[in-house]
Amino acid sequence: MSIGRVLTVIVVLVAFAGGMFIGKGSGTKEPVMTDSGAGVSYLAPSAKDTDGEDSVVLKVEELVSSGSTTNVAGSSSDYAVIVVEDGQSIQEAVKNAAPRTTIRVMPGTYHETVYIDKDNIRLVGVIKESRRAVLDGQDVLNDAILYSGNNIVVEGFLITKYKGNGIMGQAGNNFEIRNNIIVDTGVYGIFPQLGQNGVVELNVISGIEDAAIYVGMSDNIQVAYNEVFDSVAGIEIENSRHSIVEGNYVYNNTGGILAFITPGLPIKTTYDVIVRNNWISGNNTRNFGAPGSTVGGIPAGTGIMVMAADDVVIENNIITNNKTIGIMVVDHGTASELTNVTVDPESDPNSDGLKILDNLMYNNGYDTIDPIKAIMLTELKTGNPDILRMGPSKDSCIINRHRYVTVGIDDFAECGFTHTKKIGNYLLPPVAPRKRSNADERGKVAYLSICAGCHTYTGRMIGPPVQIIQALYANNPQGIVDYMTKPVKKREDYPEMPPQDYLDEETRMAVAKHMLSRTN
């Protein structure tokens, strides 16, 4: 999505409405000053989506955690133990492991892809005097670690030089990914897709072409205490619900923290996201994402960006030195007419229910782009912009607005709460695995958890739209199976597709049939 193009045309659009802003002025009335240490706590809204794809339906009281545990994969006290020595195969150990096994990988260098397709496996890199188990893809292999099992733990590895993903979850629930160092792994660093009840914490990730941490179509997720830098997107919450992003150090990316709805995906909503207590600074790296991809149009210098997501709370973050904007809020309604973002009538295009509580914002927007400067002029605003809103945003609110240079939020109400202290996290007791007992269910889950990570239905994401694939392979699921088993690069403007030959033949056929059957 080319946000730069959106902003350029917005300048033209606001010219017609300029009279609505000119003459308003801010006056000299005393600002409303709110003590964030006092007042009531925010409580999450009730689950409200009806997308029909394994949607989460929870009551408010079930979402408010009474504790702060991040152990969602269960105890390992009765697990068997397998030790992998340098020179041995990690994948062979996974193949031989029964469920309820801890696989300890000793320091050394391993050139392989590890696929965990069974439940209750803990894959632990043993750290010995600062030496780690290193997974090195040698710029040849696509993925380091893939898991489709439930109750999975991955920790302690150094992962580098893969073309696709460092660690990717494929519909696995109750996962813990922590204490990993991931450098230059292509498209995504850590990528849980279609997972529920997961923790991504205490990882260091850099050099990623899309998102260092990308939470896709997932629920009840905790992303905490990670260091992410030198990537296009630092942390992205996309088409996901009930997520908290807190305590992360996010710097030197193109965009720091993103909460998006990407049109054309089977899950149609992003809501109930708390972004709090993060340090988001100097995200001014040139955008080196794939041209035409969702993140490929993010302006360098964006601290936090919210696109069409609802009920996002932004609280107690340090947001500094982001040259374009501290917080940017955009809608699909404008973008869909001007860029490659395709209209999805089943997605609400607006960012509603935004809550901006106290944040330390300093030296943002010091070298902002010309379209933002033009929009500021329509409101007679001067200075470096901290917060920009474009498009409708009902039921949104802010406290202590006088602290910031803002554009487009004059209609935001004063929030009736000042903090989120009553919400520890949104993690749950271990949840059940997703159903995949027959071919149809396996095809659907594989499509959602693997294919939808790169292909939307109508628009461009990482790979071509599903509609194009359907046109190419109409009534020919075997053609899709053959291609996904041994793909060859056909399009210069798209990345090379990785082989999906780790899936069994029946699952590959099931996912091909499901892809051809999609209508949205």
Side-chain angles (χ1 to χ4, degrees), residues 179-183 202-206 226-229:
N179 195 7
N180 301 285
I181 300 171
I182 302 175
V183 184
L202 299 167
N203 301 281
V204 178
I205 311 169
S206 64
N226 302 281
E227 180 182 4
V228 294
F229 60 99

Side-chain angles (χ1 to χ4, degrees), residues 437-440 442-443 446 481 503-513:
S437 56
N438 57 47
D440 288 343
R442 283 200 303 276
V481 171
L503 298 172
D504 63 80
E505 189 171 349
E506 187 178 3
T507 299
R508 278 177 275 164
M509 178 56 72
V511 73
K513 290 179 178 179

Side-chain angles (χ1 to χ4, degrees), residues 69-267:
T69 179
T70 57
N71 177 11
V72 296
S75 171
S76 63
S77 60
D78 61 343
Y79 276 37
V81 176
I82 295 176
V83 177
V84 179
E85 300 285 354
D86 189 11
Q88 296 179 329
S89 169
I90 304 171
Q91 184 60 51
E92 190 66 22
V94 172
K95 180 179 177 181
N96 295 329
R100 305 193 71 79
T101 295
T102 296
I103 300 171
R104 295 177 180 163
V105 183
M106 301 304 292
T109 301
Y110 303 81
H111 306 295
E112 58 181 309
T113 294
V114 180
Y115 178 47
I116 306 171
D117 60 350
K118 54 189 73 174
D119 295 344
N120 299 293
I121 298 291
R122 302 176 78 92
L123 188 63
V124 179
V126 176
I127 305 170
K128 204 171 180 183
E129 295 177 343
S130 296
R131 292 184 299 117
R132 288 178 175 249
V134 179
L135 280 164
D136 184 349
Q138 300 178 298
D139 294 319
V140 175
L141 298 176
N142 193 74
D143 304 298
I145 298 171
L146 304 170
Y147 67 87
S148 60
N150 301 279
N151 310 322
I152 301 296
V153 175
V154 179
E155 63 176 296
F157 290 90
L158 194 160
I159 300 172
T160 189
K161 297 186 184 306
Y162 286 81
K163 296 192 297 182
N165 305 291
I167 302 170
M168 180 182 182
Q170 300 176 339
N173 295 339
N174 312 315
F175 59 86
E176 302 171 24
I177 303 171
R178 65 169 59 88
N179 195 7
N180 301 285
I181 300 171
I182 302 175
V183 184
D184 297 333
T185 61
V187 182
Y188 301 116
I190 296 175
F191 178 14
Q193 173 85 339
L194 201 72
Q196 185 182 3
N197 215 32
V199 175
V200 180
E201 65 180 4
L202 299 167
N203 301 281
V204 178
I205 311 169
S206 64
I208 309 301
E209 295 173 8
D210 197 287
I213 298 175
Y214 173 26
V215 177
M217 298 199 299
S218 296
D219 297 285
N220 305 94
I221 306 298
Q222 183 85 356
V223 180
Y225 314 119
N226 302 281
E227 180 182 4
V228 294
F229 60 99
D230 292 348
S231 301
V232 174
I235 299 171
E236 182 173 354
I237 308 297
E238 181 183 78
N239 298 60
S240 297
R241 295 73 60 98
H242 317 309
S243 300
I244 295 182
V245 180
E246 67 176 329
N248 301 282
Y249 183 22
V250 184
Y251 64 100
N252 289 357
N253 307 286
T254 301
I257 297 177
L258 318 177
F260 277 10
I261 293 177
T262 293
L265 291 176
I267 303 297

